[in-house]
Amino acid sequence: MRSNLRIIIGYIVAFALIVVFWALASWLIKSPALPLPWDAIEQFFVTLPDTFSHILISLWRVIAAMVLGTVLGLPLGLYIGRSERADVLAAPLLYLLYPIPKVVFLPILMVLLGLGNAPKIILIAVVVFFQMLVTARGAAQAIAPESITSVRSLGASPLQIARHVVLPSSLPDIFTALRISIGTAIAVLFLSESIAGSTGIGYYIMNAWSRLDYVAMFAGIIAMGAMGVGLYEILNIIEYRVIRWKHITKR
Amino acid sequence: MNPREPHTLTSAIELDDVNYTYQGIERQTHALRDISFTIASGEPVAIIGPSGCGKTTILSLIAGLIAPDSGKVLVNGTSITGPRHHTSLILQDYGLLPWKTVIDNAALGLTLRGTTRAEARATALEALHTVGLEEFAKAYPNELSGGMRQRLALARALALEVDIMLMDEPLSALDALTREELQDVLLKLWQRQSYAQVLVTHSIEEAVFLGRTILLMTPRPGRIRTIIKNPSMGSSQYRQTAEFYEKCACLRKLLIEENGRARLAEIGQPYEDGDDEIALMMAGELVDA
């Protein structure tokens, strides 16, 4: 069972550990490029009123992109995974396109969509889409044939099989994919924000760097970490509600 | 002799000269050859035989999951073209969905038919009550023991008011005592609901306890070897009667012969009457099963 107190204590201990190693590294390196953690933490809170809007816009981009990528990739992946005929074409397409770093499409997206939210959201959505597609396809292929047979013998239509068997049985894998996607999404977000535009936490970090304001830069990095924690915890709450059956053990 | 009560749901199953071949990647397997038999409405039938004799294929055909290569599968005189709502197939692993609660699993058949949620749940709860699982309605299948899961699979079929109950080794994963207990449950339910029942099993006692007609099958290709009549099935305390033991002994002997014949055929030798002892030795594992 998840207990909120344990989660909070876990975060406090983890944070303390990071601060200790960070401080040690900072003392050893003695370079302005790696400021002391408390200076960066102080800066983070001092500039929070300014950075808050950057955090919000970045969060919006990541969440919108993840929703978009999932809504498109999940059903398509499940379908490909269940249909051998569709897989004949989809599998080679996937193997050709999946390994290409989608970031290479950023220039063309910027030409087409400008410097605002759209190219960033779409780029991240494409990354999430492919990760979701690959995972959903695999999860759908791994479904126990007995589950399908038993529901089919009750007279279920293909749509009912999708709803009662294929989707729910794939959900645990889907949440793992989402968790992995959060990491990649934030990485791509940073890149796209640092290349174009003047908003978002990625821009904030790159801007501080170019001014050689390392303390501000690390305050931005802390903000990015906090953003990740928020996203992971939102995902955990959703997961706990959606796949309760996974958290139950045998009597 | 027949303690069944009058019933309203009836259905007859007829297989007429059915052939079925599995297309494998390397080779094809002739699973069924020229299978013909009839099951009267409300008749309990057990199918027993060595592995690979096509027992499960027969269930899949009756359930409408597969179509025969040639021949006809009829239910109530009409050819079946797909799964029908009043047939229930219970698989070895019970086919429960781990992501649905016990009551939602029991209500699944009704939900698929488009029954309203409240109505489906009410009927499902009644079925759970029949099998003694009422208090676990909100649990998940993973929280249940093997015997309880089996009961849940039964409740799902009961909620549907089936007239044909197909079971593929439904009790094989249970320990001996739970198994006997559930055999009693199966018997009681059949006596109450009187659906036509086709039970595929590896257990000789189970076949004799639950089959008024016992089909003994032979593999490669799957054919019906013998049909054994077992008219006293369902009588009270049948397990303790001399007749029960006799039937079991008779069935055991036939199975041993059958298995020996199959093994000898595998190594390319014809089977002769004097080969009983070899057959016995070779079939040792089956008798233990």
Side-chain angles (χ1 to χ4, degrees), chain A residues 102-114:
Chain A
K102 309 301 172 294
V103 180
V104 299
F105 299 119
L106 186 58
I108 178 81
L109 285 173
M110 277 160 51
V111 168
L112 289 174
L113 301 165

Side-chain angles (χ1 to χ4, degrees), chain B residues 9-286:
Chain B
L9 296 168
T10 58
S11 192
I13 305 164
E14 194 182 340
L15 270 74
D16 187 14
D17 224 7
V18 165
N19 282 275
Y20 190 83
T21 305
Y22 283 103
Q23 297 291 346
I25 294 166
E26 298 268 305
R27 59 192 177 137
Q28 47 185 23
T29 318
H30 205 153
L32 295 177
R33 179 189 285 173
D34 304 337
I35 300 282
S36 294
F37 64 85
T38 311
I39 298 173
S41 312
E43 182 73 9
V45 174
I47 303 180
I48 194 166
S51 305
C53 66
K55 303 184 293 272
T56 303
T57 310
I58 288 187
L59 291 190
S60 303
L61 283 165
I62 301 173
L65 292 172
I66 52 177
D69 298 334
S70 69
K72 271 185 251 164
V73 181
L74 305 167
V75 169
N76 290 333
T78 35
S79 268
I80 45 172
T81 50
R84 59 190 281 280
H85 279 319
H86 289 278
T87 300
S88 182
L89 173 64
I90 298 182
L91 301 165
Q92 208 166 350
D93 72 339
Y94 320 136
L96 302 173
L97 303 180
W99 43 87
K100 285 185 186 289
T101 56
V102 165
I103 190 159
D104 285 338
N105 261 291
L108 182 61
L110 294 166
T111 313
L112 295 176
R113 279 190 207 169
T115 314
T116 63
R117 192 177 163 82
E119 202 180 317
R121 285 188 155 219
T123 314
L125 200 63
E126 224 169 280
L128 287 176
H129 176 74
T130 310
V131 299
L133 272 185
E134 221 175 348
E135 54 181 307
F136 295 97
K138 282 184 183 143
Y140 284 91
N142 286 348
E143 298 175 83
L144 304 180
S145 69
M148 287 155 83
R149 286 188 210 194
Q150 180 56 56
R151 285 167 189 269
L152 175 52
L154 280 170
R156 178 151 92 192
L158 292 178
L160 281 173
E161 296 182 322
V162 294
D163 54 11
I164 295 178
M165 179 84 97
L166 308 171
M167 290 180 280
D168 190 2
E169 296 180 41
L171 310 180
S172 60
L174 305 176
D175 62 84
L177 277 179
T178 315
R179 192 172 180 147
E180 278 203 6
E181 185 191 313
L182 271 152
Q183 286 170 358
D184 290 332
V185 172
L186 284 180
L187 181 67
K188 230 177 274 168
L189 289 177
W190 169 74
Q191 284 171 338
R192 222 183 68 169
Q193 314 268 334
S194 45
Y195 30 71
Q197 174 169 289
V198 184
L199 171 81
V200 162
T201 178
H202 269 126
S203 154
I204 291 165
E205 285 76 18
E206 198 163 287
V208 175
F209 189 67
L210 290 169
R212 193 152 60 193
T213 304
I214 302 164
L215 304 181
L216 174 61
M217 292 195 64
T218 174
R220 277 176 291 271
R223 275 160 301 152
I224 294 173
R225 184 97 221 151
T226 322
I227 297 177
I228 301 150
K229 290 284 167 197
N230 182 26
S232 301
M233 171 267 173
S235 56
S236 69
Q237 303 293 308
Y238 187 38
R239 257 200 217 95
Q240 274 76 46
T241 63
E243 197 183 343
F244 181 78
Y245 284 104
E246 269 166 39
K247 284 285 176 201
C248 288
C250 160
L251 188 56
R252 180 169 286 117
K253 186 166 175 295
L254 286 167
L255 262 173
I256 289 167
E257 279 177 23
E258 201 39 63
N259 222 37
R261 206 189 305 266
R263 295 294 167 87
L264 287 171
E266 246 170 51
I267 55 173
Q269 278 190 27
Y271 182 84
E272 284 155 31
D273 281 350
D275 288 340
D276 271 5
E277 255 175 62
I278 307 171
L280 239 167
M281 265 163 30
M282 299 186 87
E285 58 191 272
L286 182 101

Side-chain angles (χ1 to χ4, degrees), chain A residues 150 152 160 164 169 248 250, chain B residues 95 99-100 112 143 149:
Chain A
S150 89
R152 209 157 74 81
Q160 285 177 320
H164 292 282
S169 81
I248 273 153
K250 212 176 167 95
Chain B
W99 43 87
K100 285 185 186 289
L112 295 176
E143 298 175 83
R149 286 188 210 194

